[in-house]
Amino acid sequence: MQHQNLAKRYRASRRRQRGDVSDEDMDTNFSQSTGPDNVGIMVLMGQVHAMECRFWAWERSTDWWDRIVLQVWDDSQGLRNFRIRKGTFMELCDLLSPALRHKNTKMRAALTVEKQVAIALWKLAMPYSYQSVGNQFGVGKSTVGAAVMQVANAIKDLLISRVVTLGNVQVIVDGFAAMGFPNCGGAVDGIRIPILAPEHEAGEYINHKGDFSIVLQALVDHKGRFTNINVGWPGKVHDTRIFRNSGLFQKLQEGTLFPDQKITVGDVEMPIVILGDPAYPLTPWLMKPYPGSLDSSQELFNYR
């Protein structure tokens, strides 16, 4: 029967080509006989012209991003949700655009740089799932994951060396002196950043609190701004081991991080030092608190 119907449609097509059949008759035949298999056959026979596919994606609402965030939100709302003012956000997008600007394809329209950065900041600022962030911005959860990684890599490649830098050492030294500690160029510490358990050697990433984490070691100035970072060690590793294996330790040991600027304390010449908690080693260039029972001067030193 299917072969008979196919033959009938083919003869009708030939009659139409000769002008014997009206368009109305042909539309009726088409609507009554199409199905997934039949349409494919008809495309091959030339009865139906295949259409070029463009932007294959599920329809999702982007009104919240397009109409609310971009047009209505002010600086206070941006700070509350993205942890950044709108002017700073636009400056960030401009700096990252060389790495994040993509072209449209036949499969989908490329996300704007602004939307990629916003998705990444939202995910990093809020404890939401990729799915919920995707619903918020009108994209799929895989798109959220890709945006987070691409923005993070762009920041690492284009901005880290410009932002995480020592800057003016004398300003930093003066800042710490005003807080009560002389000839100081920074304070060092480590923080455990929670991660999902890795597939291999997961036990190495369990910290003393029982969480899976990696370690960020940071040197900061008198205002708490990063001037040197080291990130990626498993959470189980002690801060001292991380410090001794870092580029920061090597520069301090070689005396190449700070200028050769000494002051005299009592009868000792003191170079520019950094401050650390009891986990760090005591060296001529790293000061740590006094342990144990303390007198008043030692307590004041520890407080400073």
Side-chain angles (χ1 to χ4, degrees):
M1 179 65 70
Q2 185 175 4
H3 292 297
Q4 292 176 356
N5 290 337
L6 182 60
K8 184 183 296 184
R9 289 198 300 275
Y10 178 73
R11 287 194 297 271
S13 175
R14 297 298 296 170
R15 288 198 304 272
R16 184 175 182 278
Q17 291 174 3
R18 296 194 302 268
D20 298 339
V21 180
S22 68
D23 288 347
E24 184 178 355
D25 293 337
M26 196 62 194
D27 289 342
T28 302
N29 289 337
F30 178 79
S31 64
Q32 291 175 347
S33 60
T34 52
D37 295 332
N38 293 341
V39 170
I41 295 171
M42 295 171 74
V43 168
L44 294 175
M45 291 172 56
Q47 293 185 12
V48 178
H49 297 289
M51 296 182 65
E52 181 183 14
C53 295
R54 300 180 63 82
F55 300 157
W56 285 33
W58 292 105
E59 287 290 334
R60 293 182 171 92
S61 173
T62 62
D63 281 356
W64 176 77
W65 167 251
D66 295 332
R67 301 177 185 274
I68 305 299
V69 178
L70 289 182
Q71 299 182 28
V72 178
W73 277 16
D74 57 18
D75 273 354
S76 63
Q77 290 166 310
L79 276 173
R80 232 179 4 253
N81 294 280
F82 292 104
R83 310 291 198 268
I84 193 170
R85 289 184 172 85
K86 192 168 186 178
T88 309
F89 173 80
M90 298 308 297
E91 182 182 359
L92 179 62
C93 293
D94 185 57
L95 292 170
L96 297 179
S97 62
L100 298 178
R101 196 173 300 284
H102 305 302
K103 294 181 179 179
N104 293 339
T105 69
K106 290 184 178 181
M107 298 300 290
R108 66 181 66 247
L111 293 183
T112 64
V113 173
E114 292 78 12
K115 195 167 186 177
Q116 291 178 72
V117 174
I119 289 172
L121 291 179
W122 189 273
K123 180 65 183 78
L124 294 172
M126 304 289 184
Y128 297 149
S129 68
Y130 287 101
Q131 184 67 63
S132 62
V133 176
N135 292 339
Q136 191 81 359
F137 284 88
V139 299
K141 64 178 182 180
S142 61
T143 301
V144 175
V148 171
M149 292 304 300
Q150 289 169 7
V151 170
N153 285 327
I155 290 173
K156 175 178 67 70
D157 295 338
L158 300 178
L159 297 186
I160 285 293
S161 60
R162 296 177 53 176
V163 177
V164 182
T165 182
L166 191 57
N168 190 319
V169 175
Q170 190 57 52
V171 171
I172 297 174
V173 170
D174 291 344
F176 276 109
M179 297 167 67
F181 206 100
N183 220 32
C184 177
V188 67
D189 204 356
I191 185 172
R192 268 66 185 169
I193 301 174
I195 62 170
L196 296 177
E199 294 182 2
H200 305 290
E201 300 181 349
E204 293 297 313
Y205 291 84
I206 300 177
N207 59 36
H208 63 282
K209 294 182 179 180
D211 303 319
F212 294 98
S213 63
I214 59 173
V215 182
L216 165 66
Q217 173 189 279
L219 182 71
V220 301
D221 66 10
H222 59 294
K223 291 188 175 181
R225 296 174 298 198
F226 288 0
T227 59
N228 183 282
I229 61 171
N230 181 296
V231 65
W233 281 81
K236 185 178 180 180
V237 180
H238 195 272
D239 285 349
T240 302
R241 181 184 170 195
I242 296 170
F243 180 61
R244 288 188 180 278
N245 285 277
S246 68
L248 175 63
F249 180 90
Q250 184 177 352
K251 290 178 180 179
L252 288 165
Q253 189 83 320
E254 295 171 349
T256 58
L257 183 67
F258 299 120
D260 186 15
Q261 176 178 311
K262 295 183 174 68
I263 62 172
T264 300
V265 180
D267 57 353
V268 177
E269 278 196 329
M270 172 185 164
I272 296 178
V273 299
I274 66 172
L275 309 179
D277 64 24
Y280 290 91
L282 180 65
T283 73
W285 39 260
L286 193 154
M287 295 292 103
K288 57 187 287 185
Y290 284 102
S293 179
L294 310 177
D295 60 30
S296 58
S297 63
Q298 291 172 335
E299 286 180 350
L300 179 60
F301 178 89
N302 284 4
Y303 173 75
R304 297 300 187 190

